[in-house]
Amino acid sequence: MQIKIDQIIHSRRKSVAIIIQADGKLVVRAPLRLSNAHIQDFVLSKTDWILSQQAKAASRQAPVHAFTSGDTFLFLGKTIPLEITENSARSLTLDSCFLLRSSDQPQAREIFTKWYKQQARQVFTSRVQFFAQQYTFNYSKIRLSSARTRWGSCNSKGSLSLTWRLVMAPMEIIDYVIIHELVHLEIQNHSSTFWKKVQEYLPDYKIRRTWLKEHGSLLNLGDRHIR
Ligand SMILES: [Zn+2]
């Protein structure tokens, strides 16, 4: 397997360091006199690590949506293709794929956002109610936010705030954020007591948390550079 080195930076340092940039590019920092052959060998010995980091970087790249046929959107963890239709009573519907009326294409982003918000409200409400009944959590209401990385929060009045973007994630991830916030109603910090409590409800919460860290940037409509 060939590993492409994008840049080698020589400097007065004693060891070799490999850096995978956010765009997946591989940069090597090396001591002044270290030969290219040595650097190649070192990089080759780290192949597995480099490939996994580059895969992560690729998955963190936010999607760019053109809102044309063939474009795909996430909903509850599923990748759903979009088709543009000429005649449709409603501007956007979800069947086995998303159907967007062609005359509504110019406002596609707003239409999708509105659709996601409606779904988010339904999904979040039913899951919060389910957990609240199951484990007797006392919350007062659910608010939708448009946050990009702050998936949820809560306040002292028992109001939960969840970003509508979260409805793009699989249900297990939504459940993790909801449990996290419900436990915060009782314990406001991130102490070991807090995490122990989260683990009581979701024994595999760490996997769900890691998923969110690695894939969180995918949960958007490709608009992070626009606003
Ligand atoms: Zn928290």
Side-chain angles (χ1 to χ4, degrees), residues 164-207:
W164 59 266
R165 294 170 210 276
L166 192 59
V167 83
M168 297 182 192
M171 198 61 102
E172 305 89 76
I173 307 303
I174 298 172
D175 284 352
Y176 160 67
V177 175
I178 289 175
I179 286 286
H180 183 121
E181 295 312 325
L182 287 172
V183 173
H184 269 322
L185 293 177
E186 200 184 315
I187 307 165
Q188 281 81 31
N189 52 44
H190 289 126
S191 60
S192 55
T193 322
F194 169 82
W195 289 115
K196 228 182 247 166
K197 202 90 196 165
V198 171
Q199 191 162 24
E200 271 175 34
Y201 300 115
L202 299 173
D204 65 347
Y205 83 91
K206 277 185 190 161
I207 301 170

Side-chain angles (χ1 to χ4, degrees), residues 114-166:
K114 195 175 152 207
W115 186 89
Y116 275 115
K117 283 181 179 171
Q118 282 167 354
Q119 303 298 319
R121 186 162 289 287
Q122 279 179 25
V123 172
F124 299 165
T125 304
S126 81
R127 293 311 279 170
V128 170
Q129 277 172 358
F130 169 77
F131 286 121
Q133 274 163 21
Q134 188 95 342
Y135 304 120
T136 60
F137 286 111
N138 281 316
Y139 73 98
S140 57
K141 60 176 179 182
I142 303 165
R143 278 187 47 238
L144 280 190
S145 85
S146 295
R148 277 147 212 284
T149 52
R150 194 171 199 215
W151 309 111
S153 62
C154 64
N155 68 21
S156 56
K157 290 180 191 125
S159 148
L160 301 181
S161 175
L162 299 162
T163 173
W164 59 266
R165 294 170 210 276
L166 192 59

